[in-house]
């Protein structure tokens, strides 16, 4: 079974530019999550999709961040315009659907985003 | 909202010794507590998890304990090996996963 895949693995852009990150969850997983880890700090929740719907986007830093999951398969996270403080590693995770609270989440390798 | 505190931030042990990492959480509604291991440059890997209706769970050299009353849970690694060296994250799940700050574990051979 293929795991969660993320693209690109690294992205270096200048302040003010736009970047789009992509996540392909494990096939059949309804739940898709985005997280961010800033250097040396904890992994922080950004948002949660159930299929194509945003279940919880309380962790999104501001309106420069836009996440989509059209069709309920892969997801994109766009940062526009990028600021210096957006640098960090962006992780995607997925878990199965169902009524059980707290399904195990499987992470991708992350995208390391550097804003110059 | 939920807050998860993790200690220690770094831990060095001799190969073969045990390692213990402790976490506390604030939201009594949290009911699922996974532990992740992240090796340098790799993805966080789920190594063990526990639900609030269970006090202890073991998987070979790894065990996790949960005290709901005190709102703390711990990871125990016995007979540590150099390949156990990594960053370990605890997390609590109420309506979303909230992570601790991580523990850098170094196992010296």
């Amino acid at each position: 079974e293929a795991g969660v895949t993320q693209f690109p693995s690294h992205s270096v852009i200048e302040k003010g530019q736009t970047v789009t990150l992509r996540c392909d969850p494990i096939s059949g997983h309804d739940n898709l999550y985005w997280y961010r880890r800033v250097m040396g700090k904890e992994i922080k929740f950004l948002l949660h999709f159930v299929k194509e719907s945003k279940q919880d986007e309380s962790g999104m830093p501001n309106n420069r961040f836009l996440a989509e999951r059209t069709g309920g398969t892969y997801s994109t996270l766009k940062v526009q315009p990028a600021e210096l403080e957006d640098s960090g590693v962006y992780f995607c995770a997925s878990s199965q659907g169902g009524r059980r609270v707290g399904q195990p989440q499987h992470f991708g390798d992350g995208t390391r985003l550097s804003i110059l | 909202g939920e807050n998860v505190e993790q200690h220690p931030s770094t831990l060095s042990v001799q190969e073969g010794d045990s390692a213990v990492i402790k976490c506390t959480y604030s939201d009594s509604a949290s009911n699922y507590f996974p532990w992740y291991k992240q090796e340098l440059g790799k993805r966080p890997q789920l190594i063990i998890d526990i639900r609030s209706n269970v006090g202890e769970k073991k998987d070979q050299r790894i065990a996790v304990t949960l005290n709901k009353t005190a709102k703390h849970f711990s990871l125990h690694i016995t007979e540590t090996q150099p390949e156990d060296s990594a960053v370990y994250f605890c997390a609590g799940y109420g309506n979303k996963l909230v992570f601790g700050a991580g523990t850098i574990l170094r196992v010296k051979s």
Side-chain angles (χ1 to χ4, degrees), chain B residues 76-92:
Chain B
H76 304 251
I77 307 173
T78 58
E79 300 170 31
T80 53
Q81 300 166 5
E83 52 265 37
D84 295 330
S85 296
V87 182
Y88 290 80
F89 294 96
C90 64

Side-chain angles (χ1 to χ4, degrees), chain A residues 58 100-102 105 108-109, chain B residues 32 36 43 51 96-97 99-100:
Chain A
S58 61
R100 193 179 200 194
V101 175
Q105 295 184 21
D109 286 334
Chain B
Y32 172 66
Y36 286 84
R43 66 184 67 189
R51 297 188 181 274
K96 58 171 150 272
L97 211 51
F99 285 85

